[in-house]
Short mmCIF file of all heavy atoms in Angstrom, two decimals:
data_model
loop_
_atom_site.label_atom_id
_atom_site.label_comp_id
_atom_site.label_asym_id
_atom_site.label_seq_id
_atom_site.Cartn_x
_atom_site.Cartn_y
_atom_site.Cartn_z
N GLY A 426 0.43 -26.03 25.82
CA GLY A 426 1.61 -26.44 25.05
C GLY A 426 2.87 -25.97 25.67
O GLY A 426 2.96 -25.45 26.77
N GLY A 427 3.99 -26.19 24.93
CA GLY A 427 5.35 -25.87 25.38
C GLY A 427 5.65 -24.40 25.22
O GLY A 427 4.77 -23.56 25.02
N PRO A 428 6.92 -24.06 25.42
CA PRO A 428 7.29 -22.65 25.45
C PRO A 428 7.03 -21.88 24.18
O PRO A 428 6.68 -20.68 24.24
CB PRO A 428 8.84 -22.72 25.73
CG PRO A 428 9.21 -24.15 25.58
CD PRO A 428 8.00 -24.98 25.67
N ASN A 429 7.16 -22.49 23.02
CA ASN A 429 6.98 -21.80 21.78
C ASN A 429 5.55 -22.03 21.22
O ASN A 429 5.31 -22.04 20.02
CB ASN A 429 8.02 -22.23 20.77
CG ASN A 429 8.19 -21.21 19.66
OD1 ASN A 429 7.73 -20.08 19.78
ND2 ASN A 429 8.79 -21.61 18.56
N ALA A 433 3.52 -21.87 17.29
CA ALA A 433 3.13 -23.17 16.71
C ALA A 433 1.67 -23.21 16.42
O ALA A 433 1.21 -23.66 15.38
CB ALA A 433 3.55 -24.29 17.64
N TRP A 500 4.30 -27.17 9.25
CA TRP A 500 3.57 -26.81 10.46
C TRP A 500 3.57 -27.96 11.46
O TRP A 500 3.47 -27.73 12.69
CB TRP A 500 2.12 -26.40 10.18
CG TRP A 500 1.29 -27.54 9.61
CD1 TRP A 500 1.16 -27.85 8.27
CD2 TRP A 500 0.49 -28.47 10.29
NE1 TRP A 500 0.35 -28.93 8.12
CE2 TRP A 500 -0.05 -29.35 9.32
CE3 TRP A 500 0.23 -28.69 11.62
CZ2 TRP A 500 -0.91 -30.38 9.70
CZ3 TRP A 500 -0.58 -29.74 11.97
CH2 TRP A 500 -1.16 -30.59 11.03
N LEU A 501 3.68 -29.20 10.96
CA LEU A 501 3.45 -30.34 11.80
C LEU A 501 4.54 -30.50 12.91
O LEU A 501 4.18 -30.64 14.06
CB LEU A 501 3.34 -31.62 10.98
CG LEU A 501 3.03 -32.84 11.83
CD1 LEU A 501 1.56 -32.88 12.18
CD2 LEU A 501 3.38 -34.15 11.11
N PRO A 502 5.87 -30.45 12.56
CA PRO A 502 6.82 -30.64 13.65
C PRO A 502 6.64 -29.55 14.74
O PRO A 502 6.73 -29.87 15.92
CB PRO A 502 8.18 -30.49 12.91
CG PRO A 502 7.88 -30.91 11.52
CD PRO A 502 6.50 -30.43 11.25
N ASP A 503 6.39 -28.34 14.30
CA ASP A 503 6.18 -27.26 15.30
C ASP A 503 5.00 -27.57 16.19
O ASP A 503 5.10 -27.48 17.43
CB ASP A 503 5.94 -25.92 14.59
CG ASP A 503 7.20 -25.36 13.99
OD1 ASP A 503 8.25 -25.48 14.65
OD2 ASP A 503 7.15 -24.87 12.85
N ALA A 504 3.88 -27.92 15.55
CA ALA A 504 2.66 -28.18 16.35
C ALA A 504 2.89 -29.33 17.29
O ALA A 504 2.52 -29.31 18.49
CB ALA A 504 1.50 -28.46 15.41
N HIS A 505 3.49 -30.42 16.80
CA HIS A 505 3.72 -31.58 17.65
C HIS A 505 4.63 -31.29 18.83
O HIS A 505 4.38 -31.73 19.93
CB HIS A 505 4.39 -32.67 16.80
CG HIS A 505 3.35 -33.67 16.25
ND1 HIS A 505 2.35 -34.16 16.99
CD2 HIS A 505 3.22 -34.22 15.05
CE1 HIS A 505 1.63 -34.96 16.24
NE2 HIS A 505 2.12 -35.00 15.05
N VAL A 506 5.68 -30.58 18.57
CA VAL A 506 6.66 -30.34 19.62
C VAL A 506 6.03 -29.51 20.73
O VAL A 506 6.24 -29.77 21.91
CB VAL A 506 7.89 -29.62 19.02
CG1 VAL A 506 8.78 -29.10 20.16
CG2 VAL A 506 8.68 -30.62 18.19
N GLU A 507 5.21 -28.51 20.37
CA GLU A 507 4.68 -27.63 21.34
C GLU A 507 3.41 -28.12 22.00
O GLU A 507 3.10 -27.76 23.14
CB GLU A 507 4.40 -26.25 20.74
CG GLU A 507 5.65 -25.58 20.16
CD GLU A 507 6.75 -25.44 21.15
OE1 GLU A 507 6.47 -25.30 22.35
OE2 GLU A 507 7.94 -25.43 20.78
N ALA A 508 2.69 -29.03 21.32
CA ALA A 508 1.44 -29.51 21.86
C ALA A 508 1.66 -30.33 23.13
O ALA A 508 2.70 -30.96 23.29
CB ALA A 508 0.70 -30.31 20.81
N PRO A 509 0.68 -30.34 24.04
CA PRO A 509 0.79 -31.25 25.16
C PRO A 509 0.61 -32.68 24.62
O PRO A 509 0.17 -32.86 23.49
CB PRO A 509 -0.43 -30.88 26.04
CG PRO A 509 -1.38 -30.21 25.09
CD PRO A 509 -0.56 -29.59 24.05
N SER A 513 -0.68 -33.97 20.89
CA SER A 513 0.12 -34.65 19.87
C SER A 513 -0.56 -35.96 19.47
O SER A 513 -0.56 -36.34 18.31
CB SER A 513 1.50 -34.99 20.42
OG SER A 513 2.21 -33.82 20.67
N LEU A 516 -3.52 -35.25 17.28
CA LEU A 516 -3.02 -34.69 16.03
C LEU A 516 -2.50 -35.83 15.12
O LEU A 516 -2.85 -35.94 13.96
CB LEU A 516 -1.87 -33.72 16.33
CG LEU A 516 -1.54 -32.59 15.38
CD1 LEU A 516 -2.78 -31.81 15.08
CD2 LEU A 516 -0.50 -31.71 16.01
N ASP A 567 15.34 -33.98 19.07
CA ASP A 567 14.18 -33.87 19.90
C ASP A 567 13.31 -35.07 19.57
O ASP A 567 12.96 -35.30 18.38
CB ASP A 567 13.51 -32.55 19.58
CG ASP A 567 12.23 -32.33 20.44
OD1 ASP A 567 11.45 -33.28 20.54
OD2 ASP A 567 12.05 -31.19 20.89
N MET A 568 12.90 -35.85 20.56
CA MET A 568 12.16 -37.06 20.25
C MET A 568 10.83 -36.78 19.61
O MET A 568 10.40 -37.49 18.70
CB MET A 568 11.92 -37.83 21.60
CG MET A 568 13.17 -38.48 22.15
SD MET A 568 12.75 -39.50 23.50
CE MET A 568 12.54 -38.32 24.81
N LYS A 569 10.11 -35.79 20.09
CA LYS A 569 8.80 -35.49 19.54
C LYS A 569 8.94 -35.11 18.06
O LYS A 569 8.14 -35.45 17.23
CB LYS A 569 8.11 -34.40 20.30
CG LYS A 569 7.14 -34.87 21.28
CD LYS A 569 6.32 -33.68 21.83
CE LYS A 569 5.04 -34.17 22.45
NZ LYS A 569 4.31 -33.04 23.00
N LYS A 570 9.97 -34.34 17.75
CA LYS A 570 10.18 -33.93 16.36
C LYS A 570 10.50 -35.12 15.54
O LYS A 570 10.02 -35.24 14.41
CB LYS A 570 11.34 -32.91 16.33
CG LYS A 570 10.91 -31.59 15.74
CD LYS A 570 12.04 -30.60 15.65
CE LYS A 570 11.41 -29.32 15.11
NZ LYS A 570 12.09 -28.14 15.49
N LEU A 571 11.24 -36.04 16.08
CA LEU A 571 11.59 -37.22 15.32
C LEU A 571 10.37 -38.06 15.01
O LEU A 571 10.13 -38.45 13.83
CB LEU A 571 12.59 -38.08 16.19
CG LEU A 571 13.21 -39.27 15.45
CD1 LEU A 571 14.63 -39.49 16.07
CD2 LEU A 571 12.43 -40.55 15.54
N ALA A 573 7.37 -36.85 14.82
CA ALA A 573 6.58 -36.05 13.92
C ALA A 573 7.04 -36.26 12.47
O ALA A 573 6.21 -36.51 11.57
CB ALA A 573 6.67 -34.57 14.29
N PHE A 613 3.86 -41.18 21.04
CA PHE A 613 3.73 -39.87 21.68
C PHE A 613 3.43 -40.04 23.14
O PHE A 613 3.86 -39.23 24.00
CB PHE A 613 2.69 -38.99 20.97
CG PHE A 613 3.23 -38.29 19.76
CD1 PHE A 613 2.68 -38.56 18.50
CD2 PHE A 613 4.26 -37.41 19.84
CE1 PHE A 613 3.19 -37.98 17.37
CE2 PHE A 613 4.80 -36.78 18.74
CZ PHE A 613 4.23 -37.06 17.47
N ARG A 626 12.61 -33.33 26.18
CA ARG A 626 12.33 -34.20 25.06
C ARG A 626 13.60 -34.50 24.30
O ARG A 626 13.55 -35.14 23.24
CB ARG A 626 11.31 -33.50 24.14
CG ARG A 626 9.92 -33.27 24.73
CD ARG A 626 9.07 -32.64 23.68
NE ARG A 626 9.73 -31.42 23.15
CZ ARG A 626 9.41 -30.19 23.53
NH1 ARG A 626 8.45 -29.99 24.40
NH2 ARG A 626 10.06 -29.16 23.04
#
Side-chain angles (χ1 to χ4, degrees):
Chain A
N429 200 15
W500 64 271
L501 184 77
D503 287 319
H505 264 316
V506 168
E507 300 303 332
S513 295
L516 206 54
D567 181 316
M568 288 188 281
K569 260 192 162 178
K570 240 181 182 152
L571 191 148
F613 278 118
R626 296 181 306 259

